[in-house]
Structures are given as C-alpha cells and as structure tokens.
Amino acid sequence: MKINNDLINDFKKVNYQLKTIHKPLKNIGFEKIRQGLDIKTMEKLGKEDLTKIRKKGDIIGVDGSKNKKGNLHPHYLVAISALAKSMDLSKEPTVLYQVFSPLIDKLNSEKSKEKEENIMAELEVQVAIQSIEKYNPHIIMMDGSLMTYRIKCYEKWKDLKRECIENNILLMGVIEEIKTKEIVQVLKSKNIDIGEDVYDKEVLFGLLNEGEYINILPEKSRKAKENIDCCFLRTSSDPSAIAMDFLSVQKEHMQQFCDVVYTLTPKNSRGIPIWLDIVDKEVKITDEMMNALIDTYIDKDLSNLFIKPKREERSL
C-alpha cells in the first residue's frame, strides 16, 4: 500500500499536537521539577542482605495471563491463568486456571471484558493467599497496582491484605505502565504548574537518575483513601520510571521495598524485576496450548460454530 500525503500530513499534525502538550513541561525544565520533589536513593543489596531476606521467608512473584480464541463478541473462549512462584526453586509454584465465554454467561461486550479482568485479578489474589498458606514468604511481589485488586475483587483483596498484615508479610505491586497524575498535584501545591493534561509518566521520563525514587501520595489520591502508598522509581538505564504500590501500614519498610525491586532489576532492561518477567513467561497460556485444548476437549462442530474465526480459512 502506498503512503499518501493525507496520511503523512495527519502524522505531522499529531506530532505538533504532542509537542504542544509537552511544551510547558519542557519549558520548566528538569532541575526546577526535581527541586520540588523529595528524591531519595536506592541501593543494590549484596548477597548477605538477600540471604537475610531469604531466611525470613523468601520472595514470591505473582502474575496472571489470558489467551482468547475465537471471533467477535460473544463467540470466543478465554483461558485465564495466575501463578505464584517462589525464588526458592525447591518450592512448587501455585497455579490456578479458569475458562470463560460470554456466550455461556450471556454478557454484553463491556460486561464480558470487565468479568475477564475480575477473574484474572481474583485468581492472582487467590494464588498469593495460597502461597502464604504453603510457604509463609517474607515478600509478595504482585505484577500491577494493588488498587486493581481493591477494585476488581474487593472481598478477596481484604483477605490477602489481612493475611499479609497478620503474618508480617510485605506486600507490593510493581507497575510498568504509569497512568496516574499524582505528581501534577504535588508540584501544583509548590507553585510549579506543568498543566492539567500531563501524566506522571511524562513528568518522570528522564527526570530521575538510575537508582533514584520518590514517594508521592497527595491527600486527594484514591490510593491514600484505600491506605495504599506509592513510589516512583528508576531502576535501570531505561529513562522511563516504574511505580510501586505497598500497604500504608508497611511504610516503614519503604526503603527495603525499593532496594529489593532495584536489586532484582537488570541494569540494561525496561526496569521491571527479572523475577516478575520469569513468572510472566511461565504463566502464559500459549496459542499452541490453547489450540490443542480446544481441538481435544471442544467438539469440532461446536468449535467451528462458536469459536473458529473465518479469517483462519483465508488462502491469500
């Protein structure tokens, strides 16, 4: 397909609009913004420190995944999985699965998507709780914001939070894609106006040096109301920051949380602890697995009728 001038002009227009959004931030400059923030430093833990953590009960990584097979709504199946894996490889991982189809549940498109997300969040919390019952770890590292579990599976979230507090287990959520506007509120209170439409992701890009973090939680933040605290960290050579949630009652351990995440993150990576990447890889239900399960356990005529997309029959 040939790229025409209209498409090129549209891209140029979008580029100009993005520059306009970013301009107030660029004009203020990094130094002034850094002066308005309480920036702290993380440390890479040595073998002795990690050994001490392991002796207290080890670190568990938790992640979920889903694989969808089928056509447009509601003619599809989703296999959802969640895994809790200890850094002590002698301990058996905990894994749970659930299969969902909006055709069976008779849900519209919006409700179906919501249910998929709720199922995955609940499975992740369940495997985390099971890992506590089996191994009593020192740290549980969830992939994503702790607010996700508060919103999508409140009752199970309360169980997990209670188990962690009662058993002195440190609970954190590591967030790769930052979608908040917490820093904007803090800077505004210090008369540094970077505009209303600026997200924390944009403010933090290149702002922190590797090994630096900030703890920010405006009073109006929804997380603060739910007794969840938050840090923004730069844990690798990648100029993008990540975020980390933890329970407000465990704030005294904030430095340890940040140091552990920093220590487990390779320097030349996108900034996520390698253990979560390992869990993410293991929890995935591959297309090959999904196809094999459908071919083996779903009648062929039902698969053709309800699940198999017509595009799979394309010959060109």
Side-chain angles (χ1 to χ4, degrees), residues 163-181:
E163 288 282 344
C164 288
I165 292 170
E166 289 179 358
N167 292 285
N168 296 313
I169 296 166
L170 304 181
L171 179 65
M172 71 168 83
V174 179
I175 306 155
E176 183 173 358
E177 288 296 333
I178 301 170
K179 300 174 183 176
T180 54
K181 288 185 176 181

Side-chain angles (χ1 to χ4, degrees), residues 90-152:
S90 68
K91 296 174 181 176
E92 195 69 26
T94 301
V95 62
L96 290 173
Y97 300 97
Q98 189 168 332
V99 179
F100 163 72
S101 172
L103 194 64
I104 296 169
D105 286 46
K106 297 180 173 59
L107 297 174
N108 63 33
S109 180
E110 187 177 333
K111 289 290 182 183
S112 295
K113 185 179 178 183
E114 183 182 334
K115 183 160 184 180
E116 286 175 34
E117 293 172 352
N118 292 351
I119 290 171
M120 189 158 77
E122 188 163 327
L123 289 181
E124 288 176 10
V125 170
Q126 284 180 323
V127 294
I129 292 171
Q130 288 183 21
S131 73
I132 292 173
E133 294 167 351
K134 286 166 69 176
Y135 301 125
N136 192 30
H138 178 50
I139 296 174
I140 294 180
M141 187 184 293
M142 313 287 286
D143 185 19
S145 172
L146 296 184
M147 279 297 290
T148 299
Y149 309 109
R150 163 62 183 82
I151 294 166
K152 299 188 179 302

Side-chain angles (χ1 to χ4, degrees), residues 2 9 80-81 135 139 145 176 195 223 283 303:
K2 188 178 179 181
N9 289 333
I80 304 167
S81 57
Y135 301 125
I139 296 174
S145 172
E176 183 173 358
K223 289 184 180 182
V283 75
S303 175

Side-chain angles (χ1 to χ4, degrees), residues 12 24 31 34 40 42 75 82 84 87 106 160 174 179 190 200 219-220 237 244 250 256 305 312:
K12 287 180 178 179
E31 283 311 310
R34 282 177 65 90
K40 297 180 172 67
M42 297 177 282
H75 297 95
M87 287 185 69
K106 297 180 173 59
L160 175 59
V174 179
K179 300 174 183 176
K190 298 184 179 183
D200 294 335
E219 289 180 10
K220 294 180 181 179
S237 57
M244 178 190 66
Q250 297 180 341
Q256 184 184 5
L305 176 60
E312 288 187 1

Side-chain angles (χ1 to χ4, degrees), residues 45-62:
L45 301 177
K47 285 186 179 179
E48 269 187 40
D49 298 311
L50 289 174
T51 301
K52 285 178 184 176
I53 291 172
R54 298 286 293 272
K55 283 180 178 177
K56 289 179 182 178
D58 209 4
I59 300 171
I60 299 282
V62 176

